[in-house]
């Protein structure tokens, strides 16, 4: 039996409520196939469109008569975990029951520790939410938000994207896993938190990359594999050029060389390759697979995808 952390990308969930209802049904089939084959799975997922939608809704409400206060990013992530997890756990439970498999599927509202000295906090770069005029942006800066001009399109809120250093609820995830249940965890990269100095934790104004959070969880749970399911079947070098070459396998040394040569786009393929390398390096025999959602089974049986190995 293989212990696998399975990270779902945007295409597994769609871009809005309606798309998510449909997408999650086929995603559940892919996951159920892997469970039927005897794998022990932890599901993780991204939340880009969902957290954007939640953030925008609160932003819009704050501009109405109701003057609802803006809510911190960490709260938006928590809401997205609940909403996405709910859809996933319902669909997957139903799909498993249809196959005669009776397993509880449960979402863990997961907090992920970040280091307050992470250099990312000094240089927030991830744009979120809507566009503002320069005057509005100046007003928001006074309220404590970090604002940045976004490629000539207007001003936007930016948040830091620090690296995860720990998963607060990892032992709860392990307990579910080891009792044969299917946990969903670190949704959207997890709720970013930092220590208050004592025993407390407080939300950090940040978003954590789901690929890095998934790698960290896989490392803590001593998984055999990190599987990142996305929109492409394999990782390529010289991506999008006439000399593009799809890769079936990558050693960590090759991966690092290609990273240094700039073959992987920031914010999309780069974090996946870096997260894969980080996980593979964390223990002997560990492997990572990057492939397309619909090819997960073929990827695990070695027929396709890009395998990253030591
Ligand atoms: P996800 O929602 O699954 O995290 P992303 O859009 O963030 O998906 O990242 C996957 C995308 O990365 C692919 O659909 C592809 O367009 C893009 N990409 C960038 N560089 C590469 C590369 N070198 N090889 C393959 N895909 C790449
Ligand atoms: Mg992504």
């Amino acid at each position: 039996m293989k212990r696998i952390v399975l990270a779902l990308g945007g295409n597994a969930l769609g871009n809005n409520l309606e798309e998510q209802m449909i997408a999650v049904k086929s995603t559940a089939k892919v996951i159920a196939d892997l469970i039927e084959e005897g794998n022990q799975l932890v599901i993780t997922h991204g939340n880009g469109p969902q957290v954007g939608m939640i953030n925008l809704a609160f932003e819009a409400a704050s501009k109405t008569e109701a003057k609802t206060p803006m809510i911190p990013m960490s709260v938006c992530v928590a809401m997205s975990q609940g909403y996405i997890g709910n859809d996933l756990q319902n669909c997957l439970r139903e799909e498993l029951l249809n196959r005669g498999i009776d397993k509880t599927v449960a979402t863990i509202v997961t907090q992920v520790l970040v280091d307050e000295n992470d250099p990312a906090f000094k240089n927030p770069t991830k744009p979120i939410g809507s566009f503002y005029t320069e005057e509005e942006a100046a007003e928001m800066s006074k309220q404590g938000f970090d604002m940045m001009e976004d490629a000539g399109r207007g001003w936007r809120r930016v948040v830091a994207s620090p690296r995860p250093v720990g998963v607060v609820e990892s032992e709860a995830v392990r307990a579910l896993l080891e009792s044969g249940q299917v946990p969903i965890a670190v949704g959207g990269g997890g709720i970013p938190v930092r220590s208050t100095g004592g025993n407390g934790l407080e939300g950090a104004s940040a978003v954590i990359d789901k690929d890095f959070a998934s790698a960290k969880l896989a490392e803590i749970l001593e998984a055999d594999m990190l599987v990142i399911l996305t929109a492409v079947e394999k990782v390529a070098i010289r991506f999008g050029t006439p000399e593009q070459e799809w890769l079936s396998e990558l050693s960590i040394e090759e991966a690092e060389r290609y990273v240094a040569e700039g073959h992987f786009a920031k914010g999309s393929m780069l974090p996946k390759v870096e997260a894969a390398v980080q996980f593979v390096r964390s223990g002997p025999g560990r492997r990572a697979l990057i492939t397309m959602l619909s090819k997960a089974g073929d990827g695990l049986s070695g027929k396709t995808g890009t395998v990253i190995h030591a």
Side-chain angles (χ1 to χ4, degrees):
M1 184 168 61
K2 265 204 198 102
R3 180 174 290 187
I4 298 171
V5 171
L6 189 76
L8 303 172
N11 65 334
L13 301 169
N15 290 307
N16 53 48
L17 260 85
E18 232 185 318
E19 281 182 24
Q20 185 170 308
M21 289 282 276
I22 299 163
V24 163
K25 284 204 167 59
S26 41
T27 301
K29 290 200 168 69
V30 172
I31 301 171
D33 285 345
L34 301 181
I35 292 172
E36 233 177 2
E37 284 162 20
N39 297 298
Q40 198 182 52
L41 294 189
V42 179
I43 318 293
T44 69
H45 60 82
N47 73 346
Q50 295 82 0
V51 82
M53 172 186 88
I54 291 165
N55 191 254
L56 261 177
F58 278 92
E59 215 175 279
S62 74
K63 292 173 187 159
T64 66
E65 281 299 286
K67 298 218 167 16
T68 329
M70 293 272 277
I71 60 170
M73 207 51 214
S74 53
V75 178
C76 295
V77 175
M79 289 179 173
S80 78
Q81 284 188 352
Y83 152 58
I84 297 169
N86 178 224
D87 264 1
L88 274 172
Q89 72 194 31
N90 260 334
C91 269
L92 183 56
R93 175 182 172 275
E94 185 180 345
E95 184 63 36
L96 289 172
L97 284 174
N98 287 345
R99 300 176 187 213
I101 303 169
D102 190 359
K103 280 182 185 292
T104 301
V105 185
T107 301
I108 302 208
V109 174
T110 325
Q111 308 180 90
V112 171
L113 273 171
V114 294
D115 178 358
E116 61 183 310
N117 297 316
D118 191 303
F121 283 110
K122 295 232 164 55
N123 182 27
T125 50
K126 189 159 176 68
I128 51 160
S130 53
F131 291 93
Y132 295 92
T133 64
E134 199 172 344
E135 296 71 48
E136 287 168 333
E139 191 49 46
M140 287 185 65
S141 287
K142 276 188 217 150
Q143 291 172 38
F145 294 105
D146 290 305
M147 306 298 291
M148 197 184 267
E149 213 285 321
D150 188 1
R153 296 178 296 177
W155 289 73
R156 288 179 91 183
R157 230 183 115 184
V158 282
V159 294
S161 192
R163 293 294 175 100
V165 296
V167 177
V168 181
E169 291 80 14
S170 62
E171 292 316 299
V173 179
R174 193 194 303 276
L176 288 183
L177 196 60
E178 291 180 350
S179 68
Q181 305 177 57
V182 187
I184 300 168
V186 299
I191 302 160
V193 291
R194 59 180 166 222
S195 167
T196 54
N199 287 327
L201 295 171
E202 61 185 6
S205 180
V207 286
I208 301 165
D209 196 293
K210 71 108 172 39
D211 299 310
F212 287 121
S214 304
K216 178 53 76 182
L217 182 62
E219 181 186 326
I220 296 168
L221 296 175
E222 297 155 303
D224 302 298
M225 259 191 125
L226 168 67
V227 176
I228 300 179
L229 299 180
T230 183
V232 284
E233 193 165 333
K234 294 183 181 188
V235 178
I237 47 171
R238 297 180 291 275
F239 180 70
T241 73
E243 288 79 41
Q244 171 174 294
E245 187 187 328
W246 297 110
L247 306 171
S248 298
E249 55 164 330
L250 263 175
S251 67
I252 48 182
E253 292 77 20
E254 284 170 325
E256 285 183 327
R257 194 177 82 232
Y258 293 142
V259 165
E261 289 172 7
H263 287 279
F264 313 123
K266 270 188 191 157
S268 60
M269 191 47 76
L270 182 62
K272 295 185 203 318
V273 174
E274 288 184 326
V277 167
Q278 189 183 305
F279 172 67
V280 171
R281 188 161 274 155
S282 71
R286 294 181 181 174
R287 293 155 81 81
L289 168 71
I290 300 175
T291 193
M292 204 182 239
L293 175 67
S294 57
K295 301 278 181 179
D298 283 348
L300 277 172
S301 49
K303 291 184 198 134
T304 189
T306 306
V307 172
I308 296 92
H309 55 82

